[in-house]
Amino acid sequence: AIMTQVLGVQLAPMDTPLGRRFQTLGVMNHFFLTFIMPLLVYPFFAWLLYAGYYHLVLAYAAWLYWDWDSPKRGAYASPYMRNLRVHKLFCNFFPLKIHTTAELPNDKNYLIGYHPHGIISISTYNFLGNGTGLMDRFPSINWHLCTLVGQFSFPLRREWMLLHGMINASKESLKYTLGGPKLGQAAVLVVGGAEEALDAHPGKYRLTLQPRKGFIRLALETGAQLVPCFGFGENELYLQATNEKGSFLRKIQTVFKKIAGFSPPLFHGRGIFNYNAGLLPFRHELNTVLGAPIPVEKTENPTREQVEKLHKIYIDALVELFEAHKTKYGVAADNHLIIE
């Protein structure tokens, strides 16, 4: 295949195999749901009112009233939705793979800490659908990917999220899922959050973890087993503008994050028909390693010392997981985690 370049943009060859085109379509579907659909749903409902379809809007409003608490009540995952072909297309684009290191018995609940955040946490797709076969590997575990409360504010998309088992990341939601009578529940939390996204640069592994202890306390309060998880390749999916701490750009991003609640990384990836200009992620192999559960004894009112002790155990387990697998997945032996 001959690749051409126009004004610095590397165009994809015309004879790109159809299978790869379908994989790109799978990624486009994900990005439509993530970025485009939220911009369209409210204008769509406004159009329904304008066009006189009041009964449809009222019917959805009634449904929304009845279903309002589902994002913090464990959602309602659908095996059919999780096994849609589009999930395999998405995962095969990179490809995205999951590697497990231990069993997850279904007589326990699990709080999985995923690292690093990356720009948009692409590797957490492992826990959304069955594209990587994780749900076949652990058929008795009910997976819940956690996201911001505000993500459930968009009509129709919220139902797509709930049908894939997604829940909001509030304390109330996690306590309901992990501290209730149902066992075999696994909640996946991207611990580093918005701050860590600003440190997502290829070849760098800087985690925002030292001040993040709320998830440790929650594990103690619910008795959920802690599981460290690392996504190798996550920080290689995009190129982000240089924004070292203390720089003018970083200061602006930090102020924006405090006001809006999310970080505004300046980044680029590839496009639909080119390899170096656009918002789609680069094709880069992603290997997510799921660590072994850390035993946690349920403690109704954990002390600060208990939280600190378990937090250190968790960090040590995460570092050990990273060091044990990094050279297999393209990380140099002298490259280590920086935990802040």
Side-chain angles (χ1 to χ4, degrees):
I2 299 175
M3 183 173 60
T4 58
Q5 184 167 309
V6 178
L7 299 176
V9 178
Q10 297 175 345
L11 302 180
M14 295 296 292
D15 58 349
T16 298
L18 188 61
R20 290 174 68 87
R21 294 294 193 197
F22 275 112
Q23 291 168 6
T24 304
L25 193 63
V27 174
M28 289 171 59
N29 171 74
H30 174 67
F31 275 72
F32 172 80
L33 290 164
T34 303
F35 297 113
I36 307 302
M37 192 174 182
L39 301 176
L40 298 179
V41 286
Y42 285 110
F44 173 69
F45 274 85
W47 176 83
L48 287 176
L49 288 172
Y50 173 77
Y53 295 104
Y54 302 101
H55 58 294
L56 293 179
V57 177
L58 288 173
Y60 184 78
W63 157 258
L64 197 60
Y65 177 80
W66 184 83
D67 191 54
W68 187 255
D69 287 339
S70 288
K72 58 182 179 182
R73 292 291 182 268
Y76 34 79
S78 162
Y80 172 78
M81 293 295 290
R82 283 180 151 174
N83 283 283
L84 289 175
R85 174 64 178 164
V86 70
H87 297 313
K88 286 193 177 294
L89 291 174
F90 178 91
C91 293
N92 289 340
F93 174 88
F94 302 96
L96 170 61
K97 303 173 184 177
I98 185 81
H99 308 277
T100 59
T101 62
E103 292 299 318
L104 299 178
N106 64 359
D107 61 345
K108 304 284 186 183
N109 287 336
Y110 303 94
L111 178 53
I112 298 170
Y114 172 78
H115 315 266
H117 185 285
I119 297 295
I120 53 175
S121 306
I122 289 287
S123 296
T124 58
Y125 209 92
N126 281 293
F127 311 102
L128 185 69
N130 196 27
T132 57
L134 179 66
M135 291 157 198
D136 294 331
R137 171 76 173 83
F138 297 109
S140 58
I141 298 296
N142 190 13
W143 302 91
H144 302 280
L145 179 59
C146 302
T147 189
L148 298 175
V149 174
Q151 293 292 340
F152 292 93
S153 302
F154 303 101
L156 303 181
R157 192 184 74 150
R158 72 180 292 277
E159 282 73 33
W160 181 90
M161 295 164 66
L162 292 166
L163 286 167
H164 286 81
M166 295 184 71
I167 59 176
N168 73 41
S170 67
K171 184 176 182 179
E172 179 185 0
S173 172
L174 287 166
K175 275 198 165 184
Y176 178 91
T177 299
L178 300 176
K182 290 184 180 179
L183 298 178
Q185 308 296 310
V188 183
L189 191 64
V190 184
V191 178
E195 182 64 29
E196 194 171 281
L198 297 177
D199 288 319
H201 295 277
K204 296 184 179 181
Y205 303 94
R206 188 184 298 271
L207 305 183
T208 302
L209 184 53
Q210 290 291 0
R212 303 297 168 99
K213 297 173 184 175
F215 77 107
I216 300 292
R217 180 176 294 276
L218 191 131
L220 284 165
E221 290 173 347
T222 61
Q225 310 291 281
L226 280 168
V227 183
C229 180
F230 198 89
F232 292 94
E234 183 70 48
N235 284 351
E236 275 66 44
L237 295 180
Y238 290 100
L239 295 177
Q240 183 173 185
T242 302
N243 62 339
E244 293 296 326
K245 291 185 177 179
S247 66
F248 179 69
L249 174 58
R250 187 60 169 259
K251 289 177 181 177
I252 293 176
Q253 291 174 319
T254 300
V255 170
F256 183 93
K257 180 173 67 69
K258 289 179 179 179
I259 296 173
F262 63 93
S263 58
L266 298 179
F267 65 93
H268 79 86
R270 57 163 289 169
I272 300 172
F273 300 110
N274 75 80
Y275 293 142
N276 64 342
L279 296 180
L280 297 186
F282 295 120
R283 281 186 187 264
H284 189 284
E285 185 170 315
L286 300 174
N287 290 282
T288 305
V289 182
L290 192 62
I294 300 169
V296 177
E297 184 177 347
K298 187 173 182 178
T299 309
E300 189 171 334
N301 294 300
T303 64
R304 179 177 178 181
E305 290 73 21
Q306 289 172 314
V307 172
E308 293 287 348
K309 180 180 178 181
L310 185 56
H311 188 252
K312 184 180 185 307
I313 291 173
Y314 178 85
I315 290 178
D316 289 345
L318 177 63
V319 171
E320 182 180 348
L321 183 74
F322 177 82
E323 292 294 331
H325 296 275
K326 65 181 184 181
T327 55
K328 286 187 290 186
Y329 303 124
V331 180
D334 61 350
N335 200 342
H336 306 288
L337 288 179
I338 299 173
I339 297 179
E340 299 177 333

